[in-house]
Amino acid sequence: MTERPAYSRTTRETLDAVHTDLATGLSPAEAKTRLAKNGPNALAKGEKKTLAQRFLDQFKDFMIVVLLVAALIAGFVVHEWADAGIILAVVILNAMFGVFQESKAEEAIDALQKMATPNAHVRRGGNVATIPSSDLVVGDVVLLEAGDVVPADLRLVESANLKSEESALTGESVPVEKTTAALTDGDVGIGDRTNMAFMNANITYGRGVGVVVATGMATEVGRIAGMINAADETTTPLQENLKALGKTLTLMILVIAAIVFGVGLWRGAASLPEMFLTAISLAVAAIPEGLPAIVTIILALGTQKMAKRNALVRKLPAVETLGSTDIIASDKTGTLTQNKMTVEKVYYDGQLHDATAGITGGNPLMTIMNFANDTKIQADGTMLGDPTETALVAYGQKHDFALKAKLTGEPRVAEVPFDSERKLMSTIHQLPQGGFLVATKGAPDQLLRRVTRIVDGDTVRPLTAADRDTILAENTAMAKQALRVLMMAYRQIPEVPEEVDSDTIEADLIFAGLVGMIDPERPEAAAAVAEAKAAGIRPMMITGDHQDTAEAIAVRLGIIDAGDDAAVITGAQLDQQSDEEFNRNVTKYSVYARVAPEHKVRIVNAWQKRGKVVAMTGDGVNDAPALKAADIGIGMGITGTEVSKGASDMVLADDNFSTIVIAVEEGRKVFSNIQKSIQYLLSANLGEVLTLFMMTMLGWDLLAPVHILWINLVTDTFPAIALGVEPTEPGIMNQKPRGRKSNFFSGGVGPAVIWQGLLEGALTLGVYFIGITWPVHTGSGEIHADALTMAYATLGLIQLFHAFNVKSVHQSLFKVGFFRNKAFNWAILASFILLAATILVPGFNGLFHVTSLDWHQWLTVLGAGVAIIVIVEIVKWVLRQRKN
């Protein structure tokens, strides 16, 4: 027989099922036993890889595997142990850095999750205790009040006007009023289980008592968390680009190595092992073995900059993904808005006023909005209560209304609590001069029926039909601006009646005024939306709020134009469209109102089918599938649940839309700099390949693997990393998104890699040719040794000079600036010293198979280095002229 769900049981049945006592709760000993048996009340995280697994994962890249093979051959076949050691050092350093960065990102997000862990107030052994929520067990009796975070799934057994905000689970932004009666109408959906309080929900109003019926992964939040942990990871554009690059290089490597190996054996130029090592040397020259480390370092530097701007990146490729974003689908509340209800308009004495206008503390409107209010002001000045009520108290504080002092002189002696049927609440206060004040606030349409008089200046007069029409017109006008409107009224009575209820208190009231409130947009949000649009990115709003509110905020932010109702769609209207129909219509909509979290996945999928890169924000548990489906999921660090943070690629520490736009700019810069590094690396390596290939074909002495690896290590790696911190090029946010189909060779980079690589190889071969035809020393052995050393020095030095050309793909070096990037300047200097040391420092000659050069030879080498800057600058100038 299937066990009955907790919501269908009576209070007595619930207590019996979990074996607890409502008055005393569990004994400490019983709670300890249950905790040991069932484990802590915490969400299980996805299985984490061990340190060893993370380290081994770094060796799965094809280029790394080829290098390892080359190291084994160099050591065990040819007995070049120095070469093998250098190769292994490069590979191991790369792996260590990758592990370090992954661990750093995980530690940061774990710390953020711990900050969100709430405590719980429970009855244990007849006493009330505050314990970590992780120590809760089934059967614990939990006390709830406004401001608490629900620590587990609870069956409510007591409720005093209790309201719970459950948007993290249901997507409904309006707090839910809670009851205690059993729900016996069969299978009841989560949103309708009014006698339950769910883990991670927020109590916004009232008090209550609940019995824990589920903890950890057995809760509703935990059930969804389990689905998320089991979900597959998506592939980012960066990962796709690197994968495609790896395939291209693999094909090139195999073809070149096979040709050289075959030609060498056919000509009898060397033995089988020697020719095999030569082929491997070509492969090493073709592979930018530092690329994985360099990309990781550039991404890591990007994450550090973004962390300083409140964007915590959990997965390194997400940095670059942001740069290719076409769509930013954002929540409204807290991301585009301040997540804080604020008084914006007030109507009294027949006039509509801005909230910034002056109003005296003695004005009846000010008094009523603060007295008919259950907000609690804590010792540190923070407020607990319903967001609407705290907004009224905050308005009073801004206008010097001393609420605590007022309540001391005019204390509350009775009240008629709010209920959803009459939509009113009233409080009764004793007046110093005698008698009592009734303060009433509520929905204008309900409260106006009970009003018979109106404040008119310093007098009170009967309410006329014209007054009534004017009040209703003002209410309608504010509602059309998406303001939530409350009416304030009052009256004085000589004594408190024996029976305090709506009939005896809320009648013959005096109209004091109207208050219009809204969750206002963040001050910087409109500028961020405009910047996103200028960058070719389409910002969209997705919210569970009403259509009018969503549309009004979207217009104020510039997401849509005023009157563009066709750009707004509700969740109900979305449900009426098939997937095929919605996929055709998705470009019409920029605002989604009254949308359930499951609709977000449809929105993501529809845009992705159009080839767009989608960034999606979310803070709720049910947002997690959409965060996983998006190209980049963006979680909320303040309001977000642990599950939504865990499903995200990036977490906003400030829940701010403008932070996303800042991150997009950083992502574009990261891609641009990675592109520069790849252009530099591949053109340099192509030059190395051409040099070795032609030397083999011409029967010249070959550069050894140790030469190629040392050049790659000191003249490739340092400058390539330094190119990764090049300043942002002007106008980067005025460019359109590059799109999902773009790659690292887009924008003229591919052709530049080819012709610049060929140029490097040609200059190096030219210097070698000069070395063997214009000898300074006598004896052919010295001639070839010197020429090989000159080729080695030229190949390295040309790359250092060429690094200056790569500062911009199209712009002149003289416009970009030689020395703006200090890190780059130091990298070039360090690389030059390390390269020159192998030739100039005694003891290195034998290790690196080089000779000492005289000043004529050095002058030839330097001339080749300068030549590449001159030639590239001329070609850039010609291309710019043709484009113009």
Side-chain angles (χ1 to χ4, degrees):
M1 183 177 178
T2 305
E3 185 178 353
R4 288 171 57 198
Y7 62 78
S8 68
R9 294 182 178 136
T10 64
T11 297
R12 184 71 265 161
E13 289 172 339
T14 300
L15 295 172
D16 291 341
V18 296
H19 307 291
T20 193
D21 182 87
L22 184 60
T24 61
L26 298 173
S27 67
E30 175 62 18
K32 186 176 180 180
T33 300
R34 295 188 184 188
L35 184 64
K37 179 180 178 181
N38 300 317
N41 173 39
L43 300 180
K45 299 176 183 177
E47 185 178 348
K48 286 191 175 182
K49 294 180 180 178
T50 64
L51 186 64
Q53 287 173 324
R54 289 184 183 182
F55 186 76
L56 291 175
D57 282 345
Q58 309 301 315
F59 296 90
K60 292 180 179 179
D61 188 271
F62 175 82
M63 292 185 284
I64 300 300
V65 172
V66 171
L67 284 175
L68 290 175
V69 172
L72 291 173
I73 293 171
F76 291 101
V77 178
V78 192
H79 304 297
E80 291 285 353
W81 294 106
D83 294 13
I86 293 174
I87 297 172
L88 288 174
V90 171
V91 171
I92 291 172
L93 284 172
N94 173 66
M96 291 174 63
F97 190 89
V99 171
F100 170 76
Q101 183 57 38
E102 284 185 20
S103 301
K104 188 176 179 182
E106 288 297 330
E107 287 171 6
I109 199 66
D110 286 346
L112 193 60
Q113 290 177 340
K114 289 177 182 177
M115 290 171 59
T117 302
N119 291 325
H121 308 292
V122 300
R123 288 180 187 152
R124 289 268 178 94
N127 298 315
V128 176
T130 301
I131 64 172
S133 63
S134 57
D135 291 344
L136 278 179
V137 296
V138 171
D140 265 324
V141 178
V142 178
L143 311 182
L144 299 172
E145 62 180 17
D148 285 350
V149 177
V150 180
D153 280 5
L154 312 178
R155 169 64 168 89
L156 296 172
V157 295
E158 294 180 13
S159 174
N161 299 315
L162 189 69
K163 291 183 182 180
S164 175
E165 194 272 304
E166 299 172 349
S167 62
L169 190 63
T170 65
E172 175 59 61
S173 62
V174 178
V176 179
E177 296 179 33
K178 292 298 180 180
T179 61
T180 59
L183 304 175
T184 58
D185 296 335
D187 189 11
V188 178
I190 293 177
D192 297 320
R193 297 175 193 173
T194 56
N195 61 4
M196 297 288 295
F198 299 106
M199 185 179 190
N200 279 357
N202 296 290
I203 302 301
T204 62
Y205 194 84
R207 299 178 301 279
V209 177
V211 178
V212 177
V213 293
T215 62
M217 296 302 288
T219 63
E220 290 296 329
V221 168
R223 181 180 62 81
I224 299 174
M227 295 167 56
I228 300 308
N229 286 337
D232 294 330
E233 297 289 335
T234 56
T235 303
T236 69
L238 175 65
Q239 291 167 326
E240 293 172 358
N241 274 333
L242 287 176
K243 186 176 180 181
L245 178 60
K247 289 181 179 179
T248 301
L249 291 176
T250 300
L251 180 61
M252 181 180 71
I253 291 164
L254 292 176
V255 170
I256 294 174
I259 291 173
V260 170
F261 182 71
V263 170
L265 285 180
W266 174 68
R267 291 181 54 192
S271 65
L272 179 64
E274 290 174 338
M275 281 311 306
F276 193 72
L277 185 59
T278 299
I280 290 295
S281 299
L282 274 174
V284 171
I287 296 172
E289 70 284 339
L291 181 59
I294 289 165
V295 170
T296 302
I297 291 168
I298 293 173
L299 292 173
L301 292 172
T303 66
Q304 292 174 9
K305 288 187 177 181
M306 291 165 69
K308 294 177 182 178
R309 306 291 292 274
N310 295 317
L312 175 62
V313 175
R314 300 182 69 250
K315 302 170 186 176
L316 284 182
V319 180
E320 183 275 335
T321 307
L322 278 163
S324 59
T325 299
D326 296 287
I327 306 293
I328 300 178
S330 174
D331 277 334
K332 176 185 74 69
T333 305
T335 307
L336 291 167
T337 64
Q338 299 177 29
N339 194 23
K340 183 175 69 175
M341 291 296 289
T342 304
V343 174
E344 187 161 288
K345 301 285 185 181
V346 288
Y347 174 80
Y348 60 91
D349 289 341
Q351 297 291 327
L352 184 66
H353 307 268
D354 287 330
T356 54
I359 181 172
T360 63
N363 188 299
L365 177 65
M366 178 69 84
T367 301
I368 305 311
M369 71 170 72
N370 281 273
F371 277 14
N373 200 309
D374 287 329
T375 297
K376 295 179 181 178
I377 303 177
Q378 301 188 109
D380 61 358
T382 58
M383 301 180 195
L384 291 179
D386 183 89
T388 300
E389 293 196 329
T390 59
L392 297 174
V393 173
Y395 174 76
Q397 288 182 341
K398 289 180 181 178
H399 292 277
D400 301 321
F401 186 85
L403 178 57
K404 287 187 177 180
K406 290 282 188 179
L407 288 176
T408 300
E410 303 176 30
R412 182 189 296 193
V413 296
E415 64 183 81
V416 183
F418 175 88
D419 71 51
S420 57
E421 290 186 7
R422 76 181 205 286
K423 297 181 180 179
L424 305 175
M425 77 164 289
S426 297
T427 58
I428 303 175
H429 300 260
Q430 186 171 2
L431 297 173
Q433 68 273 23
F436 298 87
L437 172 70
V438 175
T440 305
K441 82 168 188 296
D445 58 334
Q446 296 293 326
L447 185 51
L448 192 56
R449 299 173 185 172
R450 302 166 185 256
V451 170
T452 59
R453 291 169 289 169
I454 186 171
V455 175
D456 189 358
D458 295 329
T459 63
V460 175
R461 61 174 176 77
L463 185 75
T464 66
D467 292 329
R468 191 178 299 275
D469 291 342
T470 300
I471 292 170
L472 290 173
E474 292 291 343
N475 174 52
T476 301
M478 282 195 276
K480 286 182 177 179
Q481 298 176 53
L483 300 179
R484 183 178 183 185
V485 185
L486 289 177
M487 181 181 291
M488 308 295 159
Y490 70 100
R491 71 170 179 152
Q492 291 188 19
I493 55 177
E495 59 184 19
V496 179
E498 292 184 7
E499 186 173 349
V500 177
D501 57 23
S502 181
D503 292 335
T504 60
I505 297 300
E506 296 170 344
D508 193 28
L509 296 170
I510 304 169
F511 174 79
L514 300 172
V515 178
M517 291 169 286
I518 197 170
D519 176 14
E521 66 274 18
R522 287 178 177 266
E524 67 281 3
V529 167
E531 187 176 1
K533 284 188 169 184
I537 300 169
R538 181 168 180 168
M540 299 192 309
M541 177 194 292
I542 302 178
T543 179
D545 280 341
H546 289 279
Q547 180 174 347
D548 289 345
T549 303
E551 185 172 349
I553 292 293
V555 169
R556 289 164 64 154
L557 289 172
I559 293 176
I560 61 174
D561 297 326
D564 188 9
D565 298 337
V568 184
I569 186 173
T570 64
Q573 293 168 336
L574 183 56
D575 285 333
Q576 294 172 5
Q577 297 187 25
S578 66
D579 286 342
E580 293 75 14
E581 185 181 1
F582 178 58
N583 291 343
R584 290 194 304 269
N585 296 332
V586 68
T587 57
K588 298 178 182 177
Y589 311 123
S590 293
V591 177
Y592 296 82
R594 302 301 286 170
V595 172
E598 57 266 24
H599 290 131
K600 288 188 173 184
V601 176
R602 289 188 68 190
I603 298 169
V604 170
N605 291 339
W607 279 110
Q608 287 177 333
K609 286 179 180 177
R610 290 179 168 267
K612 301 298 184 181
V613 178
V614 182
M616 171 71 73
T617 71
D619 56 5
V621 175
N622 278 0
D623 290 333
L627 294 173
K628 281 275 189 179
D631 296 286
I632 177 161
I634 303 172
M636 301 294 113
I638 299 174
T639 61
T641 61
E642 291 185 16
V643 177
S644 65
K645 294 172 191 173
S648 300
D649 303 293
M650 184 176 83
V651 176
L652 301 182
D654 58 359
D655 291 10
N656 195 335
F657 180 84
S658 66
T659 302
I660 303 174
V661 179
I662 290 169
V664 168
E665 181 178 5
E666 186 65 31
R668 289 190 174 190
K669 185 185 83 171
V670 164
F671 179 84
S672 174
N673 287 349
I674 290 176
Q675 202 174 32
K676 292 171 185 175
S677 297
I678 287 176
Q679 178 186 349
Y680 172 69
L681 288 171
L682 294 187
S683 59
N685 289 4
L686 182 57
E688 294 166 9
V689 168
L690 179 64
T691 301
L692 283 174
F693 182 78
M694 291 306 299
M695 281 181 165
T696 302
M697 296 298 102
L698 296 171
W700 292 351
D701 290 343
L702 294 178
L703 291 171
V706 68
H707 293 149
I708 300 301
L709 274 181
W710 189 252
I711 289 173
N712 286 354
L713 182 63
V714 303
T715 67
D716 279 13
T717 306
F718 295 160
I721 293 173
L723 285 168
V725 294
E726 275 289 300
T728 305
E729 290 192 38
I732 197 168
M733 287 299 282
N734 294 326
Q735 301 170 7
K736 300 299 179 185
R738 63 179 185 276
R740 184 180 294 277
K741 295 182 179 180
S742 70
N743 55 53
F744 291 121
F745 301 108
S746 302
V749 171
V753 165
I754 295 172
W755 73 261
Q756 290 168 9
L758 294 175
L759 177 60
E760 289 187 37
L763 288 171
T764 303
L765 291 168
V767 169
Y768 182 87
F769 181 75
I770 292 173
I772 60 175
T773 58
W774 184 35
V776 177
H777 299 289
T778 59
S780 61
E782 289 184 355
I783 292 173
H784 284 280
D786 286 353
L788 200 63
T789 302
M790 291 172 67
Y792 164 65
T794 301
L795 192 56
L797 198 62
I798 276 181
Q799 294 181 21
L800 297 183
F801 277 90
H802 182 51
F804 285 94
N805 293 127
V806 183
K807 281 174 166 280
S808 177
V809 178
H810 303 291
Q811 296 299 320
S812 169
L813 173 60
F814 299 98
K815 182 176 181 180
V816 174
F818 276 87
F819 306 115
R820 286 179 59 199
N821 184 349
K822 292 182 179 179
F824 178 84
N825 299 331
W826 284 112
I828 295 295
L829 179 61
S831 296
F832 175 76
I833 292 172
L834 289 171
L835 177 66
T838 62
I839 301 173
L840 301 176
V841 176
F844 280 103
N845 302 62
L847 182 62
F848 283 90
H849 318 298
V850 295
T851 62
S852 297
L853 302 178
D854 61 28
W855 70 272
H856 295 93
Q857 293 165 326
W858 274 116
L859 192 61
T860 304
V861 171
L862 290 171
V866 173
I868 195 168
I869 288 184
V870 175
I871 295 171
V872 171
E873 281 297 307
I874 291 172
V875 174
K876 279 186 182 181
W877 181 84
V878 171
L879 291 175
R880 287 197 302 272
Q881 298 307 308
R882 290 179 59 185
K883 187 176 181 180
N884 295 333

